[in-house]
Amino acid sequence: MMESPGGDGSHGDGIPIVAVGTAPGHGRRTLIRASGRGVITSVADRLTGDAAGACRAEQRGFFGTRWRLRSEVKFDLDLPVLLLIAPGPNSFTGEDTVEFEIPGNPALADRMVQEILEQLIDRLGDARLAGPGEFSARAFLAGHLDLADATGIAAGIAAERDVELDAAEALRRSESGERLRRLSDELLRSIARLEASIDFTEEEDVIGCTAGELRNGLTPIAEELDRLLESTAAVTSAVSSLPRVILAGPPNAGKSTLFNALVGEDRVVASPIAGTTRDTIEIEMELPLEDRAAVRRVILVDTAGRPEAGTTKDPLGAAAAEATQRAIEAADLVLDCRPMDSPAAADGELTSTTNDQCRRIKVITQADRLEPEFDLDPEAIPTSGTTGIGLDRLQAAISHGLSDRPTGGSAVLAWQEMASEARSEVAEAIADLAHLPDSAGPRHPETTADRCRAAVDAIRRLDGGFDHEAVLDLVFGQFCIGK
């Protein structure tokens, strides 16, 4: 299949896009979405019944129909489909859009996506798989979403508890974007008068702007930003926690050497002396996603080796083992490390944990010492932090092991950072007017005008007055594919 784009500035290229719009895995239904000029009429000849005619006429509606699956050069199976037709500009993306609901089988979904993609390329000359968040990005560019709306969608993707989902829905349904636009427009009119009074001091008919008027323009903006930031607070703590990947195993298993190799630099001391690592050591790092088009940030944690129960009387060693166990219990993914010459390298013994949700990858370390006749656990990944053997395969396995963890949280954090910057700019502008009577003019009109404009610019960055592609990649690039 074609690769989906990453942060390549392709959000507004107008090429028709296709993607699965439901969560990965099995379910009762799978939704597949296609958007772009001409997609509705292009799929008509693969459909049966009234839906085919509705597509040719670009008639809005919801239809039960069948998709004629292709086998080699002929059509040999009609797949039951529920079809939504939404001609642009009155659709989510502002473009012609079709949505297919099919039985929830991942293999069937992959085939259906490929068939729709090939059909669009055949009829329109070009089409591609959608990148992360690209449907929402196109809705934003069409004026159907503002960044607060988009952040609410991202927060919903990242939500892991009901309270977080409720907060995300409140943000998505808020009218803060519209209120901020109106308030910033009013403030701009006041700034314009202030700047006119600076430029045309000799003109009698030029009326300046008072400190009170500027304060009255800035204060409701500050209050609205505070409300927006508060509405994202319920999800921030959850989405800011990156997935934790733990290296665990017995002492002297080569965990620290592997840790340094994955990080790309010597961050921990690696020694052949067992017990060198006493504390858990963690670092934030980037791992390439499976399609290599983007990266995922994770926290990689090196732990002290855990001796077998009852084999150590060292209080420090016992404390280190307890810290390791706590790290394992809190892990999203455990790299269960065994040196090449360990019996567990062959029998696949695993580190114990009570965390049933934790996923594991069996890792054999020090594989550069591997003897040809040695039989390894076939499920394990042989690696060497010294020579780099197996590191690419291990990174891909880690990325795959975390593939269904929600990723929209990064978009929430990116938007919240922009909102916080806007709030700081507004606070500085208000501080510049401190202690002035409402009827007085600003002490330093040029400085005040500059700070007020900086505040408006920061607010506009929340809603489109910025380098579109930079912020689109920052925010929408963290969405799930198909959103």
Side-chain angles (χ1 to χ4, degrees), residues 180 184 187 214-215 217-226 418-433 448 450-462:
L180 283 173
S184 61
L187 179 59
L214 291 172
R215 264 196 299 265
L218 289 163
T219 300
I221 291 175
E223 293 171 348
E224 193 62 44
L225 287 170
D226 286 340
M418 288 190 291
S420 296
E421 289 174 0
R423 182 64 179 87
S424 296
E425 294 286 1
V426 171
E428 288 187 12
I430 292 174
D432 197 55
L433 301 169
T448 299
D450 287 345
R451 286 183 173 165
C452 288
R453 277 209 173 271
V456 171
D457 289 344
I459 294 164
R460 291 294 170 85
R461 279 194 292 273
L462 291 173

Side-chain angles (χ1 to χ4, degrees), residues 63-412:
F63 300 87
T65 183
R66 291 179 177 271
W67 176 268
R68 302 169 65 206
L69 286 170
R70 189 190 298 273
S71 176
E72 299 297 334
V73 295
K74 63 180 181 178
F75 301 108
D76 66 350
L77 178 65
D78 288 348
L79 176 68
V81 168
L82 293 176
L83 177 72
L84 172 67
I85 302 173
N90 298 319
S91 67
F92 176 69
T93 61
E95 304 171 325
D96 293 343
T97 301
V98 285
E99 293 184 356
F100 303 84
E101 282 194 24
I102 65 173
N105 179 284
L108 181 61
D110 287 344
R111 178 173 174 181
M112 185 70 175
V113 166
Q114 187 63 28
E115 291 216 359
I116 295 171
L117 191 62
E118 291 172 355
Q119 178 75 7
L120 295 180
I121 292 173
D122 182 57
R123 294 293 184 270
L124 301 174
D126 202 2
R128 59 177 173 80
L129 298 178
E134 190 166 2
F135 291 99
S136 293
R138 290 190 176 196
F140 170 76
L141 290 174
H144 293 187
L145 284 181
D146 60 27
L147 281 187
D149 298 328
T151 303
I153 296 172
I157 295 170
E160 296 181 354
R161 297 176 299 166
D162 287 346
V163 64
E164 297 158 12
L165 193 60
D166 291 344
E169 183 67 8
L171 176 61
R172 191 176 69 82
R173 293 184 178 279
S174 74
E175 297 179 356
S176 292
E178 177 60 36
R179 285 195 291 268
L180 283 173
R181 281 192 292 275
R182 175 175 51 78
L183 291 169
S184 61
D185 285 345
E186 293 174 0
L187 179 59
L188 273 175
R189 285 191 282 272
S190 299
I191 296 170
R193 289 205 307 278
L194 177 60
E195 291 176 335
S197 69
I198 298 169
D199 295 335
F200 304 100
T201 54
E202 305 296 328
E203 302 293 332
E204 294 183 0
D205 59 345
V206 175
I207 302 173
C209 183
T210 65
E213 183 178 350
L214 291 172
R215 264 196 299 265
N216 289 339
L218 289 163
T219 300
I221 291 175
E223 293 171 348
E224 193 62 44
L225 287 170
D226 286 340
R227 279 193 290 270
L228 273 173
L229 288 167
E230 183 180 356
S231 68
T232 62
V235 292
T236 299
S237 60
V239 302
S240 62
S241 58
L242 297 173
R244 300 177 69 80
V245 180
I246 311 297
L247 284 83
N252 211 20
K255 298 186 299 298
S256 295
T257 301
L258 182 59
F259 179 91
N260 288 335
L262 287 169
V263 171
E265 57 182 302
D266 292 340
R267 297 302 297 264
V268 296
V269 176
S271 167
I273 302 173
T276 299
T277 302
R278 290 284 191 171
D279 301 314
T280 57
I281 299 168
E282 57 186 57
I283 187 170
E284 187 176 324
M285 63 173 292
E286 292 182 347
L287 285 172
L289 294 179
E290 290 179 88
D291 60 4
R292 298 275 168 175
V295 295
R296 174 189 290 277
R297 300 198 69 81
V298 302
I299 295 175
L300 188 66
V301 183
D302 187 24
T303 62
R306 297 199 317 164
E308 294 182 10
T311 61
T312 180
K313 296 181 180 179
D314 175 11
L316 291 178
E322 290 179 6
T324 294
Q325 186 61 34
R326 288 194 297 271
I328 292 171
E329 300 295 344
D332 295 282
L333 185 65
V334 171
L335 306 184
D336 198 8
C337 300
R338 292 292 185 273
M340 186 276 301
D341 55 0
S342 165
D347 64 24
E349 178 185 348
L350 293 175
T351 304
S352 64
T353 176
T354 60
N355 183 355
D356 294 334
Q357 302 302 314
C358 178
R359 297 177 180 180
R360 297 175 171 279
I361 298 174
K362 300 177 186 179
V363 180
I364 297 171
T365 58
Q366 304 168 357
D368 52 305
R369 306 178 190 175
L370 182 63
E371 298 294 336
E373 66 277 7
F374 197 87
D375 291 328
L376 295 177
D377 177 358
E379 296 182 2
I381 299 176
T383 66
S384 170
T386 303
T387 66
I389 292 172
L391 292 187
D392 286 346
R393 182 183 169 193
L394 179 57
Q395 287 183 336
I398 295 170
S399 180
H400 179 73
L402 299 171
S403 61
D404 61 354
R405 180 183 168 95
T407 58
S410 298
V412 180

